[in-house]
């Protein structure tokens, strides 16, 4: 490789050098997140070499998924016991290991938002702040700072605990004999029964991740993106972070009873085609679908706008095969502010240029108990539940942060040019789920009712906040080769 020419984007990814959760996802029914502080940087660097055999690669994740498929095809009972671990580090974690600004110069680790860190960046995301300190209203462990994350995912709690026990041989639970201290542990679980794969509001999750060219099998829908949009080290020459990635973690509490009450109270009244009255459940479901952009089944409303179609949701060839191209001047089928349109606007934005570098690989999992009878009857959340949001990208500023600040939180998006504006400009409002507004600003969206979606005099829907951030971290996911060679890069600088 030339010392002056940046490497070509990967046409075939190195599945043995990339941590498993990044491209393929660690197979999981449960996942434990262990956030840590580094107490002995030099020892930690040495310990990483010992940890490598326990870190699952993409190749191993693909093998596990193939074993699961064969198990299902053979109609064997139960689950195959399995668990995989990955590790990632924050900017302060790299500092604790001994890295300086000069050592990481000309690498992806200089990425601005990663260097800034999640705590300092939270105000720009419109995360609620504590009035007394103007710091994020997060749980204290996250405010104290995180150096790294060990995540372990698997088929069941026993398998995960066995993997954690193996990790504890490298990083003992006794802080006097370990180079790290675990400061926060959170466990997420796939929801039970027919809610498997659905987040706590009830919508099927994780079905629209971008496809990676040369890695994923192509299906109808958005064009596969180059792996360099997810993997670091392909934008400049001699970047030793190659095949790493950046992980954004967000600890998100969901106010489920309040969300359900909101849908009921603001339910749509009439069928958009026949004008017949909708039942309470039909009106509530239709409003929910228009806020999210999909029915709870996962069927996109851009294809099936006014009635759920579970068979469409299960059709891998069709459920992502839409692009809003025929409705960029209106939002009758899918509101401009709907969650999936706001976080992946497809042709709403590609008319202005490619958005491949905005795409993220989402790997979240639900946490917390199901809504109980007391919560449902009172309409008030009494127990913490929500989403352990995790996503991977090659550049946090270009991807997650851009999506949150300029798409989800922006009440005027996608009106970014004369070719997109309708005859009478409207204000679509913020993303109904994750859109956050500055203190004192209205939280609204337009186009929620298909009967008035293109009426310039339509009344905007005022919304409560249904998702509350309670913590976060920006982390670098090192490639396997680098985990073995961190010490060389520190001592040679």
């Amino acid at each position: 490789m030339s010392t002056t020419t940046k490497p070509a984007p990967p046409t075939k990814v190195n599945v043995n050098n990339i941590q498993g959760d990044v491209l393929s996802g660690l197979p999981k029914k449960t996942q434990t997140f262990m956030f840590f502080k580094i107490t002995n940087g030099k020892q930690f660097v040495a310990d990483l070499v010992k940890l490598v055999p326990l870190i699952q690669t993409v190749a191993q994740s693909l093998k596990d998924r193939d074993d699961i498929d064969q198990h299902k095809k053979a109609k064997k009972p139960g689950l195959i016991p399995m668990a995989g671990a990955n590790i990632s580090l924050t900017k302060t974690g790299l500092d604790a290991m001994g890295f300086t600004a000069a050592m990481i110069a000309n690498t992806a680790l200089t990425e601005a938002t990663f260097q800034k860190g999640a705590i300092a960046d939270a105000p720009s995301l419109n995360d609620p702040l504590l009035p007394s300190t103007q710091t994020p209203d997060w749980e204290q462990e996250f405010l104290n700072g995180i150096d790294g994350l060990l995540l372990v995912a698997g088929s069941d709690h026993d398998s995960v605990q066995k993997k954690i026990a193996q990790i504890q041989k490298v990083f003992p639970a006794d802080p006097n004999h370990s180079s790290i201290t675990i400061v926060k542990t959170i466990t997420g679980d796939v929801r039970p029964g027919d809610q498997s794969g659905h987040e706590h509001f009830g919508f099927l999750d994780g079905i629209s991740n971008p496809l990676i060219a040369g890695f994923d099998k192509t299906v109808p829908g958005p064009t596969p993106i180059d792996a360099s949009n997810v993997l670091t080290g392909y934008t400049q020459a001699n970047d030793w972070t190659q095949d790493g990635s950046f992980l954004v973690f967000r600890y998100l509490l969901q106010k489920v009873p309040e969300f359900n009450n909101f849908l009921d109270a603001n339910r749509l009244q009439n069928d958009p085609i026949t004008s017949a009255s909708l039942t309470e459940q039909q009106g509530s479901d239709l409003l929910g679908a228009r806020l999210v952009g999909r029915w709870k089944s996962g069927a996109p409303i851009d294809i099936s706008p006014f009635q759920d179609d579970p068979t469409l949701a299960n059709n891998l060839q069709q459920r992502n095969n839409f692009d809003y191209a025929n409705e960029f001047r209106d939002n009758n089928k899918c509101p401009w502010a709907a969650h999936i349109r706001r976080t992946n606007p497809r042709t709403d934005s590609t008319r202005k240029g490619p958005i491949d570098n905005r795409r993220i690989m989402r790997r979240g999992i639900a946490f917390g108990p199901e809504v109980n009878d007391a919560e449902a009857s009172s309409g008030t959340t009494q127990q913490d539940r929500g989403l352990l949001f995790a996503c991977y990208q090659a550049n946090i500023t270009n991807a997650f942060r851009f999506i949150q600040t300029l798409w989800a939180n922006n009440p005027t998006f996608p009106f970014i040019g004369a070719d997109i504006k309708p005859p009478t400009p409207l204000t679509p409002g913020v993303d109904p789920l994750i859109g956050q507004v500055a203190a004192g600003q209205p939280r609204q969206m337009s186009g929620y009712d298909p009967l008035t979606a293109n009426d310039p005099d339509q009344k905007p829907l005022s919304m409560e906040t249904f998702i509350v951030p309670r913590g976060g971290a920006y982390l670098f996911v090192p490639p396997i080769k680098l985990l073995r060679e961190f010490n060389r890069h520190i001592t040679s600088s």
Side-chain angles (χ1 to χ4, degrees), residues 23 111 126 184 198 217 270 274 344 348 415-416 445:
L23 294 185
E111 201 278 319
N126 287 338
K184 180 75 172 179
H198 295 244
K217 182 182 296 185
N270 300 105
T274 66
N344 181 16
D348 287 343
F415 299 128
I416 55 177
M445 74 168 288

Side-chain angles (χ1 to χ4, degrees), residues 168-375:
Q168 287 176 335
K169 293 180 180 178
V170 179
F171 302 117
D174 182 354
N176 295 320
H177 298 88
S178 179
S179 59
I180 66 171
T181 298
I182 305 295
V183 296
K184 180 75 172 179
T185 299
I186 314 172
T187 295
D189 294 284
V190 171
R191 294 182 61 210
D194 63 1
Q195 291 303 297
S196 177
H198 295 244
E199 48 72 56
H200 276 290
F201 291 146
F203 295 85
L204 188 63
D205 197 19
I207 59 174
S208 58
N209 276 321
L211 300 178
I212 303 299
F215 177 75
D216 289 304
K217 182 182 296 185
T218 301
V219 297
T223 303
I225 66 172
D226 192 274
S228 61
N229 293 292
V230 178
L231 301 176
T232 59
Y234 289 93
T235 61
Q236 52 199 352
N238 302 322
D239 187 341
W240 41 264
T241 72
Q242 192 169 106
D243 290 332
S245 189
F246 285 110
L247 165 61
V248 170
F249 173 82
R250 298 274 283 170
Y251 188 27
L252 303 176
L253 272 60
Q254 292 178 256
K255 300 169 70 172
V256 180
E258 290 85 349
F259 180 75
N260 291 336
N261 273 8
F262 176 82
L263 295 184
D264 291 341
N266 296 278
R267 64 183 180 273
L268 301 179
Q269 302 296 318
N270 300 105
D271 186 290
I273 297 176
T274 66
S275 296
S277 296
L278 297 172
T279 66
E280 292 184 4
Q281 190 63 56
Q282 288 173 331
S284 177
D285 287 347
L286 179 56
L287 175 59
R290 290 186 67 78
L291 298 188
V292 175
R294 291 186 187 270
W295 297 90
K296 287 186 176 181
S297 69
I301 65 172
D302 194 64
I303 299 177
S304 184
F306 309 128
Q307 187 172 359
D308 192 8
D309 183 358
T311 59
L312 173 60
N314 294 324
N315 187 332
L316 298 180
Q317 300 295 311
Q318 291 296 319
R319 67 185 186 186
N320 282 307
N321 191 20
F322 58 95
D323 59 12
Y324 313 122
N326 295 323
E327 53 172 330
F328 74 90
R329 291 184 182 275
D330 61 53
N331 61 164
N332 183 270
K333 289 182 179 179
C334 182
W336 283 300
H339 175 62
I340 71 162
R341 188 167 186 174
R342 187 51 64 89
T343 53
N344 181 16
R346 305 185 187 219
T347 50
D348 287 343
S349 273
T350 56
R351 291 173 61 80
K352 292 295 182 180
I355 58 171
D356 289 3
N357 63 338
R358 314 296 184 205
R359 305 302 307 280
I360 56 176
M361 304 296 290
R362 292 179 294 118
R363 303 290 182 218
I365 189 170
F367 75 92
E370 298 296 296
V371 172
N372 60 41
D373 291 342
E375 291 177 301

